[in-house]
């Protein structure tokens, strides 16, 4: 039995310390970290990984792709898959910016209160990596997803990117640009799920607007730094009842995210064929909760 | 119990191999090393360290700050302390250029022969990182410290920096510029402690000058590369009697420095609240000798 | 007993993942990897390695030199040896581009079928790192070696470099530039050993030319990517009889290379005085086969 060896390919100059610590706590016995990874380097890394151990030991080696830029991570993941040679392959996981594990934790939290199929959801500040991953997963679960942004072009760009990822099997997300309180009130009409995924310390949904939107059943705020993204939600909230909705704060979701993150690392070493992106990590998270 | 995980933040491009080897030999089970660390990166590193393990496990993670530039290391240490969030903190150690552990070993060697309070000490070649740390510690122990340099401005700058560190509770060090043998003879009058901390291979105190200065009781040469910084002192000297003084060579002091360095690394994992800079490392060294 | 600690000094920007995995699978308990290593950094690395552990523990620390550029690796190896201080030294291994372990595996394969002394050998595509190492080792074993290239100057340059390495104790290699099928046929006259060490996917010796050269007794193709460097040789061939010769493919030689590579890493920790370059690695490989 070979040592469990994780190769961290990070698109940022300094490989994430957060990801390194989680990796070793999740059971990676050896961790080789590379920062500033460029797509053209990936083939060499993959060949180094698949040509050193016998085929029967390939499940002891895996690659974790991280960094703050999810698009860069997606390109690295794609290049890694193309570098495999037949059965000479190893398991891969993408979690740039923590987007996949955070989005999975958010969606699982929502699902625990509500059947998503056919529901209307809005992701405020939804054009960043986590917001786009949340939209993607909500669509996969049968919800209608709107990506909110105060900048029209960014909302449209994010929707196009998510639509390209989910393909034609599900309806695409809708861009939802807004500027005024009136826009917000109109936009929330009939919405049952609200996720706030904007920048730290910016309140996107005021208490007044939240209370006025009677249809909201679940609200998730992914911002841990005060003030809250959704006014009235506290970081430790976990399905707390608030004005008729069940609300989740960033630290509560973060706790579940950590469990999913660690379980995903452990999963990598169970076979040499896993490719863990948004959907696979959501499924894995669901199996933990079950 | 989580693995003891040390994060090495080094201001030099390549993280010090010396520090890495000492770290693992001192018990760090995982070592994550970063080179070329800039102050603006420190908050991310600290957050990566404090947000990954539960609060009860924070004493299993620590940061070691190194590199050849002590000022850069001090800035990294300062930024790290500012990045803590309440009880979410981890232990820190600064030993850029080995300055703290070397200075502690030198001062402890001197103290073993002499009560420092009220004594007059000169640090030859004292404007470098080790010399300035020696001056700082001698002042803390109640000695009068003179920082010697053949360049007047450098001596003054070093004194100002040390004075700022020790604050107003103790008298500041005195700049002691010298050029000629006569300067040296005059300067050594009444001096009981001499430390040579200059560059490798430069003799700062000749045998004749040393023998003429009858007041010298302890002399420490921190230069391991011939010729000696203090003529007549051998690298392995450890309290050897020489012309009426007890003398210490670089390798003897270095042996104690290694013990202190390792003990300091081990200390980091005993709580999540240690901040080990010059004074704390001197105290720790004293407890080892006791 | 200190942990077995390997320091990887790699001339490429990203330290080779291949070499890292082999190192840990070969028993290195701690691996400290540096990329983009410059000759002027080497002394500091060596001093960091020899000044941290006691003299009786120096066999627990070793340096592996790698990277795609063999000349850069040779310079690093040379600098490391110069940085030793008397008995304060550690074991070293050079395997830039896998050249030493691959060449050793190729030559040992040939030797298993043929006594090399006095035999005529040609290395096709022999101007690269592996080809030059094969020539060097064949000369050491008493063979006559020709370095083939379609570019006259490259063949001459490679011969001069190999001649400088082997010194005057053995005859120098001969440059063998060729362009046409007729050149090839003439050149192969009386040749008993052919090694193909050219770039991936370029056929250097056609089946027709091979079959016409009746003197060939052993042929080794080091190219694993189709088409073969020697037409008719398959990657897994291991002493397969083909038109009167015993032929070896790249994967068969590669299997032996991996065994030699791992054994060489393990050897480093048996004393603090090994310097493993081409000849030493060949000897080590021979002892494995015995």
């Amino acid at each position: 039995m070979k040592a469990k060896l994780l190769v961290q390919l990070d698109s940022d100059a300094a490989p994430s310390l957060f990801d390194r610590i989680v990796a070793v706590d999740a059971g990676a016995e050896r961790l080789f970290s590379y920062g500033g990874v460029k797509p053209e380097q990936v083939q060499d890394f993959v060949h180094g990984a698949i040509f050193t151990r016998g085929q029967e030991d390939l499940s002891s080696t895996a690659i974790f792709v991280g960094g703050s830029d999810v698009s860069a991570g997606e390109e690295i993941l794609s290049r890694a898959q193309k570098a495999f040679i037949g059965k000479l392959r190893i398991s891969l996981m993408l979690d740039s910016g923590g987007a996949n594990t955070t989005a999975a934790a958010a969606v699982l939290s929502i699902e625990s209160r509500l059947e998503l199929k056919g529901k209307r959801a809005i992701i405020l500040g939804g054009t960043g990596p986590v917001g786009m991953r949340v939209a993607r997963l909500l669509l996969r679960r049968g919800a209608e997803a709107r990506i909110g942004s105060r900048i029209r072009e960014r909302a449209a760009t994010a929707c196009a990117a998510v639509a390209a990822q989910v393909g034609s099997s599900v309806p695409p997300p809708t861009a939802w640009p807004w500027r005024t309180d009136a826009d917000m009130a109109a936009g929330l009409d009939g919405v049952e799920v609200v996720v706030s995924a904007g920048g730290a310390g910016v309140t996107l949904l005021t208490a007044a607007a939240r209370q006025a939107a009677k249809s909201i059943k679940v609200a998730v705020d992914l911002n841990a730094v005060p003030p809250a993204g959704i006014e009235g939600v506290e970081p430790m909230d976990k399905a707390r009842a608030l004005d008729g909705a069940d609300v989740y704060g960033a630290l509560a979701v973060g706790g579940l995210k950590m469990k999913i993150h660690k379980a995903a690392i452990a999963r990598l070493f169970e076979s040499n064929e896993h490719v863990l992106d948004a959907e696979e990590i959501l499924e894995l998270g669901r199996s933990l909760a079950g």
Side-chain angles (χ1 to χ4, degrees), chain A residues 77-127:
Chain A
L77 186 75
S78 165
R79 294 282 188 119
Q81 292 176 275
K82 285 177 190 150
F84 292 151
I85 300 173
K87 289 181 178 175
L88 292 178
R89 55 183 295 149
I90 56 176
S91 286
L92 307 172
M93 172 177 175
L94 172 66
D95 200 28
S96 295
N100 278 335
T101 50
T102 304
V107 171
L108 287 168
S109 298
I110 299 165
E111 282 193 337
S112 72
R113 317 309 298 172
L114 190 82
E115 158 63 42
L116 275 166
K117 194 163 178 60
K119 298 302 190 306
R120 183 174 295 181
I122 276 184
I123 304 106
L124 301 172
T127 61

Side-chain angles (χ1 to χ4, degrees), chain A residues 115-121 135-146 170-173 193:
Chain A
E115 158 63 42
L116 275 166
K117 194 163 178 60
K119 298 302 190 306
R120 183 174 295 181
R136 173 169 159 178
L137 291 177
L138 290 174
L139 290 168
R140 297 282 195 198
R141 304 300 297 163
E144 173 193 332
R146 295 183 187 175
V170 298
V193 174

Side-chain angles (χ1 to χ4, degrees), chain A residues 123-127 147-152 154-155 176-179:
Chain A
I123 304 106
L124 301 172
T127 61
I147 294 181
S149 172
R150 281 186 270 208
I151 301 168
R152 181 177 296 272
R154 290 186 62 180
W176 182 64
W178 62 280
R179 291 192 169 269

Side-chain angles (χ1 to χ4, degrees), chain A residues 21 45 49 57 141 166 183 226 248 255 278:
Chain A
I21 297 178
F45 286 127
D57 290 317
R141 304 300 297 163
V166 295
D183 291 345
Y248 288 83

